[in-house]
Amino acid sequence: VQLQASGGGLVQAGGSLRLSCAASGRTSSSNYMGWFRQAPGKEREFVAVISWSGAGTYYTDSVKGRFTISGDNAKNTVYLQMNSLKPEDTAVYSCAAGCRGYRAWSCAYWGQGTQVTVSS
């Protein structure tokens, strides 16, 4: 499985961006797919995941109410709509698939990162 992420960029605080991640193959329907991010000098952190089996979506507390993860089964693609962006959202966002939950170590596949920069 190969993952191709896109949609990062530079935006002012309060603005919006939409990230996309397309998977070349399909992982088990029991797995999750989602996004993690890593800011300079910080550890990678969980952002959001979605279950292909319909088990739901999960978000880290700092993005709840601002970010929305969604998926297109037919296209094997996951999206992250990011609204009301804050400077602290600045990071490299990486897509992951074949996850058994929201922990990065449980993910089998990783895409290249896409930079999101939010200016104040």
Side-chain angles (χ1 to χ4, degrees):
V1 175
Q2 292 186 328
L3 306 177
Q4 181 68 44
S6 60
L10 172 64
V11 65
Q12 289 189 330
S16 299
L17 283 173
R18 188 192 195 206
L19 305 183
S20 299
C21 179
S24 63
R26 191 58 183 272
T27 62
S28 168
S29 61
S30 63
N31 291 153
Y32 291 79
M33 189 169 171
W35 297 90
F36 296 77
R37 67 186 180 186
Q38 187 167 19
K42 295 187 176 181
E43 293 188 355
R44 181 170 55 192
E45 66 169 348
F46 159 71
V47 178
V49 291
I50 185 169
S51 165
W52 287 122
S53 68
T57 58
Y58 301 91
Y59 299 89
T60 192
D61 286 347
S62 63
V63 308
K64 286 180 181 177
R66 300 187 299 122
F67 291 11
T68 302
I69 189 169
S70 61
D72 185 328
N73 248 322
K75 296 181 179 180
N76 288 347
T77 300
V78 168
Y79 306 96
L80 185 67
Q81 178 66 44
M82 305 185 294
N83 298 328
S84 302
L85 282 161
K86 304 176 181 180
E88 51 263 44
D89 293 318
T90 295
V92 174
Y93 285 69
S94 297
C95 174
C99 306
R100 296 195 297 277
Y102 64 88
R103 300 189 188 279
W105 56 257
S106 78
C107 299
Y109 309 100
W110 290 86
Q112 89 289 1
T114 184
Q115 178 70 46
V116 171
T117 303
V118 185
S119 62
S120 57

